């Protein structure tokens, strides 16, 4: 019997890189203030928490309490007035705009409360874009598959203005999912969906969490969605009241 090819020489078992032991997110003393003609407005104040890799966290609170502002700071889309956000061990304040964009492209999916789809691109092109930006050879195949997963296989060529609110929301979810990000931020991901479609999106989110270990950070008013998350963070007038 011929010798089977020798197995590759056993590499020493590497201890995981230090970054792996770090939380997905660490937030310290986070504050956001804006200057308005009528005086300074404090939107967020003294927010601190950690989120472990693979965790699922709901951020809840009344309208205007600061949830969307917090999500933007966590993803490095906006800069805090004080404090620090560390994403996968990297302090975002140490990066310039390009550096933060790279971290987002590598690690983060983001679903905006108002979707922010590009109006001049079709649904398919919107979902292909993050794959093209990171240089994937095949963007069309995975983008199409992702749109089918959210039930939009028949709407690939539609422009955002030709889609309903719930359909636009699902395109935004597909665009955020398609890169298989380590961290997914979503602002009211079921806010515009009927119960059944909302339930399907919730299942999709938690399938990503279970299968790919995606850390979920979800702003929501949906009790059903919050109940599925392992942790709930409550914001009241810009302060964390439950961690
Ligand atoms: N750039 C800004 N300039 C002035 N005020 C702002 C700015 N951004 C947010 N705010 C104010 O900060 C507060 C928090 O806004 P934010 O959008 O974070 O609330 P939210 O909790 O997401 O509310 P909702 O549930 O309605 O989406 C609001 O009162 C808002 O008017
Ligand atoms: Mg909001």
């Amino acid at each position: 019997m011929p010798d089977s090819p020798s197995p590759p020489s056993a590499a020493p078992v590497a201890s995981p890189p230090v970054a792996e032991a770090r939380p997905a997110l660490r937030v310290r003393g986070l504050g956001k203030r804006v200057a308005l003609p009528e005086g300074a407005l404090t939107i967020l104040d003294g927010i601190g928490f950690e989120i472990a890799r693979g965790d699922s966290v709901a951020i809840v609170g009344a309208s205007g309490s600061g949830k969307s502002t917090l999500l933007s700071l966590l993803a490095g889309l906006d800069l805090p007035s004080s404090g620090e956000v560390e994403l996968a061990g990297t302090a975002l304040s140490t990066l310039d705009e390009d550096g933060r964009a790279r971290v987002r492209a590598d690690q983060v999916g983001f679903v905006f409360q108002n979707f922010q789809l590009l109006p001049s691109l079709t649904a398919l092109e919107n979902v292909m874009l993050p794959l093209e930006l990171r240089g994937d050879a095949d963007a069309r195949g995975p983008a199409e598959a992702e749109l089918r997963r959210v039930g939009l296989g028949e709407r690939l060529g539609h422009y955002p203005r030709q889609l309903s609110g719930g359909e636009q929301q699902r395109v935004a979810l597909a665009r955020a999912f398609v890169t298989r990000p380590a961290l997914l931020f979503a602002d009211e991901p079921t806010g515009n969906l009927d119960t059944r479609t909302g339930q399907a999106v919730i299942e999709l989110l938690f399938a990503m969490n279970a299968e790919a270990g995606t850390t979920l950070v979800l702003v929501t008013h949906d009790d059903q969605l919050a109940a599925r998350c392992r942790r709930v963070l409550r914001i009241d007038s810009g302060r964390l009241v439950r961690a």
Side-chain angles (χ1 to χ4, degrees):
M1 201 174 140
D3 281 349
S4 55
S6 55
S9 58
V13 178
S15 50
V18 173
E20 290 302 312
R22 291 182 181 150
L25 261 179
R26 179 182 289 152
V27 176
R28 279 176 296 215
L30 205 63
K32 181 73 181 176
R33 281 170 288 283
V34 291
L36 298 174
E38 56 271 32
L41 172 69
T42 298
I43 301 175
L44 294 171
D45 192 20
I47 305 265
F49 57 84
E50 288 188 7
I51 297 179
R53 281 163 194 263
D55 213 347
S56 54
V57 179
I59 298 176
V60 303
S63 177
S65 56
K67 305 180 298 297
S68 294
T69 306
L70 177 60
L71 213 60
S72 297
L73 296 178
L74 298 183
L77 291 165
D78 190 10
L79 290 174
S81 314
S82 55
E84 182 64 272
V85 175
E86 268 180 36
L87 210 151
T90 303
L92 294 179
S93 66
T94 63
L95 304 174
D96 60 9
E97 181 63 48
D98 286 349
R100 289 198 306 278
R102 267 195 302 280
V103 168
R104 281 199 302 277
D106 290 346
Q107 313 251 9
V108 170
F110 199 96
V111 182
F112 292 90
Q113 190 165 14
N114 55 359
F115 322 134
Q116 302 220 4
L117 299 175
L118 295 178
S120 60
L121 300 183
T122 63
L124 180 61
E125 289 163 349
N126 266 282
V127 180
M128 286 168 63
L129 193 60
L131 298 174
E132 290 171 340
L133 287 175
R134 74 175 187 190
D136 283 20
D138 178 25
R140 180 172 294 265
E144 256 192 63
E146 209 57 52
L147 281 164
R148 290 189 200 289
R149 282 185 82 181
V150 296
L152 290 177
E154 308 302 312
R155 294 287 183 276
L156 303 179
H158 282 230
Y159 289 89
R161 67 175 182 280
Q162 301 170 322
L163 296 166
S164 72
E167 288 173 341
Q168 290 179 49
Q169 182 156 40
R170 283 182 282 154
V171 175
L173 283 157
R175 180 178 63 180
F177 288 163
V178 78
T179 55
R180 297 292 175 269
L183 258 157
L184 183 80
F185 297 99
D187 201 341
E188 302 276 6
T190 58
N192 289 265
L193 304 178
D194 61 81
T195 312
R196 208 172 115 241
T197 313
Q199 190 59 44
V201 162
I202 293 175
E203 296 311 327
L204 215 59
L205 286 166
F206 284 90
M208 281 184 71
N209 178 249
E211 290 160 19
T214 305
T215 308
L216 300 178
V217 184
L218 313 172
V219 167
T220 190
H221 288 290
D222 179 343
D223 291 339
Q224 205 189 352
L225 178 53
R228 284 287 296 272
C229 292
R230 267 189 10 93
R231 285 170 69 195
V232 175
L233 301 179
R234 184 171 297 279
I235 306 289
D236 184 11
S237 304
R239 289 182 160 273
L240 187 63
V241 292
R242 182 173 149 198

